[in-house]
Amino acid sequence: MILPPATLGMLGGGQLGRFFVSAAHEMGYQVWVLDPDNNSPAGQIAERHFCTAYDDFAALDEFAAGCAAVTTEFENVPAATLDYLAKFIPVRPHAAPVAVCQQRVNEKNFLRDNGFPHANYRAISSAEDWRDLPDDIFPGILKVARFGYDGKGQAVVHNLAEAQQAFAQFKGEVCVLERRLTLDYEISVVLARGANGEVRTFPVAENRHHRGILDVSIAADGASLADADMVRAAEDVACRIAEKLDYTGTMAVEFFVSNAALYVNEMAPRPHNSGHYTLDACLTNQFEQQVRALCGLPLGDARAHSAAVMVNLLGDLWYEGERYREPDWRVLHAIPNLKLHLYGKHHARPGRKMGHFTVIDADAQRALALALAARTAIGIGA
């Protein structure tokens, strides 16, 4: 076990890293953050911020010399960086599962090769790949294989001509063409897995998106559309995925439910936006679990003590037409069982995740009603 007051390393400095730093500090650790953004939210509160590129090997040498173990907060950290650091200190998760999750073709092939449920797809990298497409691939979604998130790098396509046009707009980057499913709803499983194979799953959340970005997560039995059988099936698939990847750390698996059938959408080798409710509603939150898994500590109890509904706060909220202004946070603070989290980002812009709030309650339907009412009251549109 790695015990306090050891120094832990975090690759990536966004809000997920910031919550990790906070969790580590509460447990007695120090944290160094490596992130190229001078205004990194995690770097603001860490003991040290290496403001440099992920392939700056001189900085990585110093980073490794000062840290007892290293983790990451997003999947686009180069797998080569994780491999390099692993020569000197424990890196969890290790490079192999991150390499699977950070490239959509690798991810889809992993699901296919291991028998996990997924939508029909084809990898597209050249003109040759448009030949012999299955008839049922359209309507589909064309997604760039790397760096696409929150609806970016995606296009809905109804036929071959539209797909080829979108591929050209993506400048010929490697893509995945995936059958577009008719959705009943979307859910996610956030779990933690220790190096010894111990697994803890958090309550499954139903996720509602707006313009490709997560809007509301409902972790409340009786308010979510997911029934007990679907929840058990999703938990089983997510745990088997983590085991097959030999994963160590906190991770999320997102699912589509279509015609009462379960399909894996994406895997995230890190804590997840849909797991933010765990900060306020669970005995152990997803970031403390990340610290525990990284340090070889026993995982905490992941049970929820309350029903919870989380609402994302995007940068659009900071604008009234063209005028930039701070939202009136009194509206949210007036609700006693609402917990507001702001990420300390340097500047708000439309679509940027600036914070979130979570409503917790003993009653699931009341939690949902309060959260949606608060969402409207603070000025989030339909």
Side-chain angles (χ1 to χ4, degrees), residues 152-349:
K152 298 177 177 69
Q154 300 185 15
V156 176
V157 292
H158 297 89
N159 51 52
L160 178 59
E162 288 185 9
Q164 290 175 325
Q165 181 181 12
F167 185 63
Q169 290 173 345
F170 293 149
K171 301 187 173 161
E173 287 191 48
V174 177
C175 290
V176 168
L177 176 61
E178 182 179 315
R179 169 74 177 174
R180 190 183 189 195
L181 301 171
T182 302
L183 297 185
D184 303 338
Y185 52 89
E186 300 179 46
I187 57 177
S188 59
V189 177
V190 178
L191 61 84
R193 186 173 186 269
N196 62 354
E198 177 190 17
V199 178
R200 295 285 183 272
T201 60
F202 292 99
V204 171
E206 179 199 338
N207 301 316
R208 300 177 182 178
H209 293 77
H210 182 63
R211 296 178 181 172
I213 303 175
L214 181 63
D215 182 20
V216 177
S217 284
I218 304 165
D221 291 342
S224 169
L225 294 173
D227 62 27
D229 289 341
M230 193 62 70
V231 165
R232 282 192 293 269
E235 289 174 338
D236 175 67
V237 170
C239 290
R240 288 191 289 116
I241 285 174
E243 181 180 9
K244 196 69 180 178
L245 288 170
D246 192 21
Y247 190 85
T248 302
T250 298
M251 73 173 295
V253 182
E254 297 179 73
F255 295 91
F256 293 142
V257 179
S258 176
N259 297 317
L262 194 68
Y263 299 85
V264 178
N265 174 30
E266 292 180 348
M267 306 172 323
R270 52 172 172 78
H272 196 256
N273 194 174
S274 68
H276 283 345
Y277 77 88
T278 66
L279 288 162
D280 303 303
C282 292
L283 298 177
T284 308
N285 68 61
Q286 62 172 343
F287 303 99
E288 181 182 335
Q289 294 287 50
Q290 187 181 18
V291 176
R292 286 172 171 270
L294 176 63
C295 295
L297 306 177
L299 298 179
D301 190 332
R303 286 177 297 162
H305 53 71
S306 304
V309 179
M310 186 217 72
V311 176
N312 264 337
L313 300 171
L314 303 183
D316 313 62
L317 190 60
W318 274 250
Y319 290 88
E320 190 171 39
E322 296 296 318
R323 187 169 71 91
Y324 185 89
R325 52 98 177 107
E326 192 73 17
D328 185 0
W329 301 121
R330 291 174 298 180
V331 172
L332 300 182
H333 285 306
I335 303 170
N337 54 336
L338 183 150
K339 305 298 181 182
L340 175 64
H341 300 269
L342 298 176
Y343 302 154
K345 292 188 175 179
H346 184 247
H347 184 73
R349 60 175 181 266

Side-chain angles (χ1 to χ4, degrees), residues 76-150:
N76 290 328
V77 170
T81 296
L82 302 178
D83 263 335
Y84 182 76
L85 289 171
K87 296 176 182 177
F88 311 107
I89 52 175
V91 175
R92 297 166 178 156
H94 54 84
V98 175
V100 170
C101 299
Q102 71 184 190
Q103 211 273 6
R104 293 186 194 277
V105 176
N106 293 344
E107 184 178 56
K108 296 298 182 186
N109 290 347
F110 167 84
L111 296 173
R112 178 199 64 198
D113 294 345
N114 290 284
F116 295 115
H118 61 281
N120 198 3
Y121 75 97
R122 286 293 183 274
I124 306 294
S125 59
S126 69
E128 297 295 316
D129 296 321
W130 296 115
R131 298 179 182 176
D132 301 321
L133 290 176
D135 294 336
D136 66 349
I137 201 80
F138 296 110
I141 304 178
L142 190 72
K143 303 177 181 181
V144 294
R146 292 290 305 270
F147 305 119
Y149 66 98
D150 287 345

